[in-house]
Amino acid sequence: MRYLSNGKILLAIAFGMASIAWGQGGGGRAGRAATTQPAAAPGGAPANAGGRGGAGAGGAAGGGGGAGEFYNFDPTATTTLQFPEAATETHQKITVNDAALAYTARAGFLPLRNATTGQSEAHIFYTFYAKEGVTEVMTRPVVFFLGGAPGVAATWQEFGGLGPKRMKWASDGTAGAAPYGWADNPQTLLNEADLVFVNPVGTAFSRPDVPSRGPSFWSTAADTASLGEFVRSFISTNNRRNSPLFLAGEDLGTARAAGLATYLTEHEIPVEGLVLLSMTTTADALAGDEQYMTLAPSLIMAAWYHKKLSPELNAMSAEQISGQARQFASREYLHALYKGDRMTPDEHTKVVADLARLTGLSKAFIVNNNLRITQDRFNSELMREQHRGLSPSDGRVNGFLPSGGGRGGGGGFGGGGAIDFNQINLAGGFQTAYEAYLRHDLTFNGNPNGIFYLSSGGVGTFTATGSDDASLAAVFARNPNLRLYVGVNYFDLNAPFYAAEFTLAHLNVSPEVRAHNITVSHFESGQMTYVDNKALVKLETELSRFVKESTQAAHQ
């Protein structure tokens, strides 16, 4: 989830082409950030080399207490916080494929203890779902879901569509109106593996034991070390040391998952599989004019969805139009961007006409923007006549924008900050329903008056290094048997599908890994595939198969 007030876009403002949240790309499609010096890792964890990443990145706005501040976490406070010692446990049952699925659910805190002193430095809030009636519990797969950008809880994966209970979305795909509810989720992964939803320090109810220690967790190295300690401690205390382990990350958290896989492998905790959903753009995919080339196919898909193209193009399937988009972007469009002013008049006329035909934009707009269409300008231009703007996280969703002077970027007709109508529609009521679910179904009352940081407020400035491609190359070099699943969304403009394909095409891995260990799947959805009812069915089917086949392959 990239809530964070369109987090990735704000990161671009702060860093341009610098690396973002774990060093993943910059340019026009990034998240919130503020440059910092690397923070010390908790427990004396060494700083990581960081791959291609550069300067820091910020998570959700945190910090600074003071009079009148009652929501954002204050990393200057020195009071020692208290946490419940025991997790709550309930036994529940849902129906999946016409059969009863009984499971045990736990919700609580796991302390992160310093390896030398044994003292707790932070408490991570988690939920754990384990299928009952399993004879070989120790060898049953376990999937750890790690959330998204710094400041974003794993609740989105859990309650959005992959846990045993799911937010009851309204018929129009939004959160609807109060009272909000939830229902049994027949598309949960619980049939195939036990599920752990991990909330990094500063998200959900997870906190440093002493608030002033918060910044020491908010860097790539520290984030990796703390999550690595969570996994080690969890599998040890729950007798799951021998279970096949899977890690799942989303959007800005995909490099978190890849980096953690390397960290665990180096600490003698093997990882069977890695799931990356809505893979974030790497710096190489945004080098110069490549950023426009990798974005263009997503803009074409959005225009196709809104029926802004010619009848023959509008009549194509998603696979057909995406094929046309790839072909245009990688050939004629890339050639034109490369030649620049060296194009002949005929070449220039043709590429302008073809770009207009495929994006639904006017030729004048394309010429005025020198063939280089940014996400924010496209989002506010495509449906300008209707005073509608597109959502960066899902180009299918639009909303009314008041008119203003000029054609300013930022998602509004008069400039200013972008509005992500999709995320507003989803987030409204989601947290309300989840907290009610925690109290009612999971009987968790360990923090009755605490603030649950779903998407912002709990993490201050985050120092980021590393990248998806470097992290993946590193873990495959150490574990060539690792299996990778990548879910790519056609309508997530923040994480363009062609940029993800570009990144995967340039991974520095062996031919054997590329041929046998990597699965890529495409979805007709926006960000957070699992909130889309149709896409969720496909996602659950493929992830279940991925876990099963990865586990079987490891024992052949």
Side-chain angles (χ1 to χ4, degrees):
M1 174 65 174
R2 299 183 195 82
Y3 190 65
L4 311 184
S5 299
N6 295 326
K8 292 178 71 183
I9 298 172
L10 295 182
L11 255 178
I13 297 172
F15 285 101
M17 290 302 295
S19 296
I20 61 171
W22 292 280
Q24 301 175 23
R29 311 189 289 275
R32 177 175 298 177
T35 306
T36 67
Q37 295 300 315
N48 285 347
R52 289 188 178 88
E69 178 53 77
F70 299 103
Y71 186 83
N72 287 343
F73 184 76
D74 181 4
T76 66
T78 57
T79 302
T80 300
L81 305 179
Q82 301 298 317
F83 301 87
E85 294 184 3
T88 61
E89 180 174 302
T90 59
H91 300 273
Q92 303 184 40
K93 186 181 293 184
I94 62 173
T95 300
V96 177
N97 296 328
D98 298 322
L101 192 162
Y103 63 94
T104 299
R106 294 181 194 147
F109 293 91
L110 189 149
L112 301 182
R113 300 189 183 279
N114 185 288
T116 302
T117 66
Q119 296 297 311
S120 172
E121 296 190 8
H123 279 70
I124 286 187
F125 177 75
Y126 71 95
T127 51
F128 173 44
Y129 301 96
K131 184 178 180 179
E132 295 180 348
V134 177
T135 55
E136 297 293 334
V137 175
M138 289 188 298
T139 59
R140 177 169 163 80
V142 180
V143 182
F144 289 85
F145 291 88
L146 308 170
V152 179
T155 306
W156 286 104
Q157 292 92 0
E158 174 189 359
F159 201 57
L162 297 172
K165 297 293 179 73
R166 184 183 185 224
M167 173 79 177
K168 189 179 292 184
W169 301 108
S171 58
D172 61 358
T174 69
Y180 306 101
W182 56 94
D184 293 353
N185 181 19
Q187 271 70 54
T188 180
L189 294 179
L190 190 54
N191 243 342
E192 199 62 49
D194 293 341
L195 313 176
V196 187
F197 296 91
V198 189
N199 298 286
V201 176
T203 69
F205 290 130
S206 301
R207 304 285 190 274
D209 288 358
V210 178
S212 60
R213 286 281 292 154
S216 67
F217 290 90
W218 299 331
S219 70
T220 300
D223 183 83
T224 301
S226 62
L227 291 173
E229 173 56 20
F230 176 91
V231 173
R232 186 206 66 78
S233 181
F234 183 91
I235 61 177
S236 296
T237 57
N238 288 278
N239 197 25
R240 304 303 295 268
R241 188 67 173 82
N242 202 35
S243 294
L245 300 185
F246 292 79
L247 305 177
E250 183 178 24
D251 69 330
L252 293 173
T254 52
R256 163 189 275 157
L260 180 58
T262 301
Y263 181 92
L264 292 174
T265 301
E266 291 179 338
H267 288 78
E268 290 75 49
I269 301 176
V271 177
E272 285 312 322
L274 193 57
V275 176
L276 305 182
L277 303 176
S278 203
M279 187 175 177
T280 307
T281 306
T282 59
D284 282 355
L286 293 173
D289 280 339
E290 284 180 354
Q291 64 183 301
Y292 305 106
M293 184 268 290
T294 57
L295 175 62
S298 291
L299 305 186
I300 293 169
M301 293 300 295
W304 168 80
Y305 179 84
H306 291 286
K307 305 296 182 183
K308 295 293 184 179
L309 308 182
S310 64
E312 62 271 18
L313 292 177
N314 287 335
M316 289 183 174
S317 67
E319 292 303 320
Q320 289 172 327
I321 192 66
S322 64
Q324 291 256 332
R326 291 185 186 94
Q327 182 174 347
F328 169 75
S330 62
R331 297 180 184 180
E332 181 184 1
Y333 188 43
L334 181 61
H335 180 73
L337 293 173
Y338 176 76
K339 289 192 72 174
D341 291 340
R342 295 173 296 171
M343 280 188 290
T344 66
D346 287 345
E347 287 175 327
H348 186 267
T349 298
K350 184 176 186 304
V351 73
V352 168
D354 287 342
L355 190 55
R357 180 176 63 89
L358 288 168
T359 62
L361 302 173
S362 70
K363 294 179 183 179
F365 180 84
I366 290 170
V367 171
N368 289 339
N369 284 274
N370 195 26
L371 306 181
R372 292 157 175 82
I373 312 302
T374 61
Q375 181 204 110
D376 58 345
R377 287 188 174 273
F378 176 83
N379 289 355
S380 60
E381 182 67 22
L382 185 69
M383 304 181 73
R384 176 179 293 276
E385 292 181 358
Q386 298 100 308
H387 293 281
R388 313 289 290 184
L390 304 188
S391 298
S393 66
D394 191 337
R396 300 172 300 174
V397 180
N398 65 86
F400 178 80
L401 287 177
S403 60
R407 292 176 179 261
F413 296 132
I419 300 175
D420 196 315
F421 303 100
N422 175 56
Q423 292 180 350
I424 291 173
N425 292 341
L426 296 175
F430 182 85
Q431 181 167 335
T432 299
Y434 183 72
E435 291 199 56
Y437 163 74
L438 277 182
R439 310 300 184 191
H440 184 272
D441 283 25
L442 301 189
T443 68
F444 177 80
N445 291 299
N447 196 1
N449 198 38
I451 294 176
F452 188 95
Y453 290 126
L454 175 66
S455 299
S456 64
V459 174
T461 302
F462 193 97
T463 303
T465 53
S467 60
D468 273 0
D469 53 347
S471 298
L472 288 172
V475 70
F476 274 122
R478 290 160 176 78
N479 180 11
N481 295 318
L482 178 78
R483 299 294 173 125
L484 171 65
Y485 176 93
V486 181
V488 182
N489 301 322
Y490 281 133
F491 300 107
D492 183 356
L493 304 184
N494 281 331
F497 72 92
Y498 200 43
E501 293 172 0
F502 180 96
T503 298
L504 293 171
H506 293 82
L507 278 183
N508 187 16
V509 296
S510 70
E512 294 77 18
V513 164
R514 185 172 295 281
H516 304 294
N517 293 33
I518 300 176
T519 300
V520 182
S521 187
H522 295 77
F523 296 87
E524 292 184 48
S525 68
Q527 179 187 309
M528 298 188 297
T529 315
Y530 43 80
V531 304
D532 186 297
N533 292 330
K534 182 179 178 181
L536 174 61
V537 175
K538 177 183 176 182
L539 178 65
E540 184 274 327
T541 299
E542 293 187 351
L543 288 183
S544 293
R545 184 189 306 123
F546 173 75
V547 171
K548 184 176 181 178
E549 292 179 351
S550 298
T551 304
Q552 291 174 342
H555 294 88
Q556 290 178 350

